[in-house]
Amino acid sequence: MSASDRFDRSYQHEFKQNEDINDSNAGHQPITKTYENREQQWKFNNQKAQKNGPHRTIYWVKQQRKPEDSSIKGKGQKWETSMKYIGDWKSNEKCGFGIQYYPNGDKYEGGWDKNMRNGQGTLWVAGAKGKLRREYTGDWEADKKSGRGTMFFANGDRYDGFWLDNKPHDEGRMIYENGDVYEGQWHFGKRSGYGVLTKRNGDHFEGHWVNDLREGQGSYFFAEKNKIFVGEWVNDMPKTGVYSEVEDSSAPKKRSKETYEDAYTLPEIPPIGLAAPTGVLQKALEEVKKDRTLYRARFVPLYELYNDDELEELLKEF
């Protein structure tokens, strides 16, 4: 039964009593409480209670926890403020721009729709001694980080890029607290796809990632050794490829140490090598790819695993 139905029934009973009183008091001034006036007053009060448009402040309260002695100091202190919201409303729901203060001390400032964070907004989290620290600034959808935004992690890392379902997804850049930088593709919070990792010491990896590990074709430059590995990676480790020194004509040549010994002539050594090095390497690469295809297919788009002809054959089969 709604509040209005209960009011109508209670007043009909009261109105019937007034009619009986008026009949029994003939000749006297009748009691003039009209149903119409009471109904208009109820509608007026109900309209005032509706939350629409900008409101100054709305508080949520909760019952205070009793201390060990089961006493609460002061009269009227049974309840305490739990949350508060300052902002726009529509049909009793947070909608538009607003600021929400949470019970744990966190604060959100930005867009709302149907009581959920939506649009542009900034989330602040409570740190030591209640000091607020900005954690996320960017897009929200249905109360989750979704779209483009920047995340400031508590450990000092920073992510700039796209989000989906509260996780980094698609293109983004992570600047780690130790100085390393990753820029590339993400898949629900993990590095997956093509990406470039530049380390603080100058090392540089460029290639494919799966499930947050280097997997597939990639090249790694070792800054200190001035050498590079190009080939297949498996489970974050180089598996098959070519390891060679980088030729840099601009780099200063190292001077050999001067010695006062007689020059030593190295005897002639017959050259040793593979009969068909290119073929051996190609076969090894194909074996690695074949062995890891099912694992990689779970995380990598098919157009990155197969060329156009191979994809066309797959479509014919399936």
Side-chain angles (χ1 to χ4, degrees):
M1 183 184 297
S2 64
S4 58
D5 292 337
R6 290 195 300 270
F7 172 81
D8 291 343
R9 291 190 178 185
S10 62
Y11 185 76
Q12 287 173 3
H13 177 71
E14 180 183 347
F15 188 70
K16 182 65 171 61
Q17 287 182 337
N18 290 339
E19 287 181 341
D20 296 340
I21 294 174
N22 288 336
D23 292 340
S24 62
N25 291 282
H28 298 278
Q29 185 176 359
I31 300 174
T32 57
K33 287 186 178 181
T34 64
Y35 176 81
E36 290 78 8
N37 291 341
R38 289 286 297 274
E39 183 181 27
Q40 293 300 325
Q41 183 65 35
W42 179 86
K43 289 182 177 180
F44 176 75
N45 292 336
N46 185 60
Q47 288 176 356
K48 289 178 66 178
Q50 300 298 309
K51 297 187 284 294
N52 275 296
H55 272 245
R56 190 172 182 83
T57 306
I58 301 295
Y59 292 92
W60 285 261
V61 296
K62 64 180 181 180
Q63 192 170 8
Q64 287 194 41
R65 292 184 179 180
K66 291 184 178 181
E68 294 181 357
D69 59 358
S70 301
S71 63
I72 297 178
K73 296 181 179 180
K75 294 183 179 180
Q77 299 298 321
K78 183 178 180 181
W79 304 95
E80 63 180 357
T81 302
S82 174
M83 296 188 300
K84 71 176 179 178
Y85 172 80
I86 307 172
D88 300 329
W89 296 79
K90 183 179 180 181
S91 300
N92 288 324
E93 294 180 331
K94 287 173 272 191
C95 184
F97 179 82
I99 303 173
Q100 176 79 58
Y101 296 87
Y102 297 94
N104 63 353
D106 294 352
K107 170 187 172 183
Y108 170 79
E109 183 175 356
W112 293 82
D113 186 42
K114 296 180 180 179
N115 278 335
M116 294 185 290
R117 292 168 290 191
N118 203 78
Q120 286 280 335
T122 300
L123 176 65
W124 305 77
V125 295
K129 300 181 180 180
K131 186 177 180 180
L132 290 175
R133 175 183 64 83
R134 184 173 59 168
E135 183 177 82
Y136 175 81
T137 298
D139 297 330
W140 298 77
E141 184 177 352
D143 222 32
K144 295 182 179 180
K145 304 178 189 74
S146 185
R148 185 154 196 166
T150 300
M151 180 80 170
F152 303 89
F153 294 89
N155 64 353
D157 295 348
R158 170 179 169 173
Y159 173 81
D160 299 292
F162 291 92
W163 293 76
L164 182 64
D165 198 21
N166 276 334
K167 296 177 181 178
H169 191 76
D170 206 349
E171 293 288 333
R173 178 180 62 178
M174 178 74 81
I175 303 174
Y176 297 96
E177 188 273 337
N178 63 0
D180 296 349
V181 179
Y182 171 84
E183 188 166 3
Q185 295 176 321
W186 296 77
H187 184 76
F188 289 107
K190 295 183 178 181
R191 294 169 292 187
S192 286
Y194 184 82
V196 177
L197 175 65
T198 303
K199 306 195 76 173
R200 184 179 180 181
N201 63 358
D203 288 1
H204 182 87
F205 173 81
E206 185 173 348
H208 292 274
W209 299 72
V210 173
N211 204 23
D212 219 31
L213 301 175
R214 287 168 288 196
E215 179 82 27
Q217 186 71 23
S219 61
Y220 192 100
F221 172 70
F222 299 87
E224 186 177 352
K225 298 179 180 179
N226 196 37
K227 292 186 177 182
I228 187 170
F229 171 84
V230 180
E232 284 287 321
W233 291 70
V234 173
N235 200 24
D236 215 35
M237 297 294 292
K239 184 70 173 180
T240 302
V242 178
Y243 182 69
S244 60
E245 189 170 357
V246 178
E247 296 182 1
D248 188 0
S249 58
S250 62
K253 295 183 179 180
K254 295 182 179 180
R255 296 180 59 184
S256 59
K257 295 182 179 180
E258 296 182 0
T259 61
Y260 299 95
E261 299 177 358
D262 295 335
Y264 174 75
T265 303
L266 185 68
E268 186 176 350
I269 300 176
I272 300 175
L274 295 172
T278 304
V280 173
L281 177 61
Q282 186 65 31
K283 183 179 179 181
L285 292 173
E286 290 177 356
E287 289 179 355
V288 173
K289 290 180 181 178
K290 183 179 179 180
D291 184 56
R292 302 292 290 181
T293 296
L294 293 178
Y295 172 76
R296 295 173 181 177
R298 295 171 55 194
F299 304 96
V300 181
L302 291 178
Y303 66 83
E304 292 188 12
L305 290 175
Y306 305 99
N307 56 39
D308 294 339
D309 294 335
E310 291 172 334
L311 284 175
E312 188 174 349
E313 291 295 327
L314 286 173
L315 289 175
K316 289 179 181 179
E317 293 294 330
F318 300 97

